Amino acid sequence: MDMFVVWYFLESTINGALIGLMYALVALGFVLIYKSTDAINFAQGQFVMISGMMVAALAADYSIPVFIAAIMALVFMVLFNVALERVVLRPMIGRPVVAIIMATIGLAAFLEGVFPMFFGSATRSLDIGVPNDPWIIGQIYLTPINVVGALVAIAFFAGFGWFFMKSRKGVALRAVADNHQVSMAMGINVERYFVLAWSMAGVVAVLGGLLWGSAIGVDNTLAVVGLKVFPVVILGGLESIKGCVVGGIIVGVVEAWGGTYIDPAMTQEWFREFFPFEGGGTKDFLPYLLMIAVLFFRPYGLFGKVQIERV
């Protein structure tokens, strides 16, 4: 086999896996909130957008170092999410799930429209100190921000794994996720852990905003990252942190293979003989086709908890 083909395949697969881990980091925000509150937060992508916009604006307009701007964004997002949980979502506890879903969709539209009014709608670059020149290993070209993003995601997942498995607050948070009423009966302050979950989702959003903002620039389209991680959480399972990692890598690799092999093939004459249309961009919708397939055969995802209801 031609070694160029092998290197090309490895480069596409590894870069896809690295991007997938960055997706997994954003998907963690969905999982944290769903595990603790049973709510699907459709505004997680907008949290990422707000974080990226805030850091980029503070750094560009006020010459604040990115590190300090990131800390300011972190404090803001934690306080913002705590206020959001108290004012908007806590009063909706006990309401139908569809009501909470519609509330977060409305919230997403509101945030996407309002925050560009404060920070501007122009696309900004976000320099977090990661070089742009590719790192070359053998004949594999790696994008530095993808490598750094994947390492940050791995470190963060390891930290969260320790927190959930070893710390008292993590064990309590798992108990809240399993059953709210039993947790209250055991003396756990469920509402306090709701706040903790939303705060951690804010931290995840800031990390996602820094990494994705550095990778693709910062404007209101950064919120699209929130939609692109839906296949990740569906594939891995809505309440599974491990599923985030596996789902993220699978989606990232599928997306990379689509862009590497299928999109170029669609421009070839032999392809047009069978499919007489012009197109491309399969990498953008292949993860959603994968998500639909998973919903058919494993509606709870690869690592999701199967819920059996007695009727």
Side-chain angles (χ1 to χ4, degrees):
M1 179 182 292
D2 187 350
M3 286 306 297
F4 175 77
V5 175
V6 176
W7 286 115
Y8 194 57
F9 172 78
L10 288 176
E11 181 178 300
S12 173
T13 304
I14 293 173
N15 274 308
L18 296 175
I19 292 174
L21 285 169
M22 291 172 64
Y23 282 144
L25 185 61
V26 178
L28 181 61
F30 283 98
V31 173
L32 287 172
I33 291 175
Y34 184 79
K35 276 176 71 71
S36 57
T37 66
D38 284 339
I40 300 175
N41 177 26
F42 282 86
Q44 186 66 26
Q46 280 67 27
F47 294 170
V48 173
M49 177 200 75
I50 293 170
S51 304
M53 278 187 169
M54 189 171 181
V55 175
L58 290 174
D61 298 344
Y62 300 98
S63 301
I64 296 175
V66 171
F67 178 72
I68 303 297
I71 293 176
M72 294 171 69
L74 187 67
V75 172
F76 172 80
M77 287 306 301
V78 169
L79 294 176
F80 178 76
N81 277 15
V82 170
L84 195 64
E85 192 275 336
R86 285 287 181 93
V87 176
V88 178
L89 295 163
R90 186 175 297 184
M92 302 190 72
I93 292 177
R95 303 280 180 85
V97 174
V98 67
I100 300 176
I101 289 175
M102 294 309 297
T104 59
I105 290 175
L107 178 67
F110 172 75
L111 297 177
E112 195 167 337
V114 166
F115 275 84
M117 295 170 61
F118 293 101
F119 300 119
S121 57
T123 303
R124 299 172 187 265
S125 61
L126 180 55
D127 183 6
I128 59 174
V130 178
N132 293 320
D133 295 335
W135 292 336
I136 305 172
I137 301 175
Q139 296 185 36
I140 299 176
Y141 286 64
L142 299 176
T143 305
I145 186 61
N146 295 348
V147 177
V148 172
L151 292 176
V152 170
I154 291 171
F156 212 68
F157 275 104
F160 260 101
W162 177 88
F163 174 78
F164 275 104
M165 300 304 294
K166 300 296 183 182
S167 71
R168 289 177 60 87
K169 289 187 180 299
V171 172
L173 199 55
R174 286 164 53 201
V176 171
D178 284 339
N179 193 304
H180 296 169
Q181 292 182 338
V182 172
S183 300
M184 285 189 285
M186 296 295 292
I188 297 174
N189 187 333
V190 173
E191 294 180 346
R192 179 185 300 171
Y193 285 94
F194 285 175
V195 173
L196 178 61
W198 279 90
S199 301
M200 290 193 296
V203 174
V204 169
V206 173
L207 285 173
L210 287 171
L211 294 171
W212 279 104
S214 177
I216 62 176
V218 177
D219 55 26
N220 59 351
T221 61
L222 193 58
V224 176
V225 174
L227 291 178
K228 297 195 76 170
V229 301
F230 266 107
V232 174
V233 294
I234 297 298
L235 183 61
L238 269 171
E239 63 281 293
S240 173
I241 294 177
K242 178 170 61 178
C244 273
V245 178
V246 176
I249 292 174
I250 292 174
V251 167
V253 170
V254 167
E255 192 178 87
W257 286 349
T260 303
Y261 296 107
I262 300 178
D263 286 349
M266 293 179 72
T267 63
Q268 303 298 314
E269 289 297 330
W270 64 265
F271 185 91
R272 294 185 182 178
E273 291 180 2
F274 296 97
F275 302 98
F277 53 83
E278 295 185 7
T282 57
K283 72 183 187 65
D284 292 326
F285 65 77
L286 279 177
Y288 295 98
L289 291 180
L290 185 63
M291 179 184 73
I292 293 171
V294 170
L295 286 173
F296 272 118
F297 297 105
R298 293 186 66 91
Y300 297 102
L302 297 176
F303 299 96
K305 186 188 299 181
V306 177
Q307 297 179 3
I308 300 175
E309 296 183 0
R310 294 181 178 178
V311 295

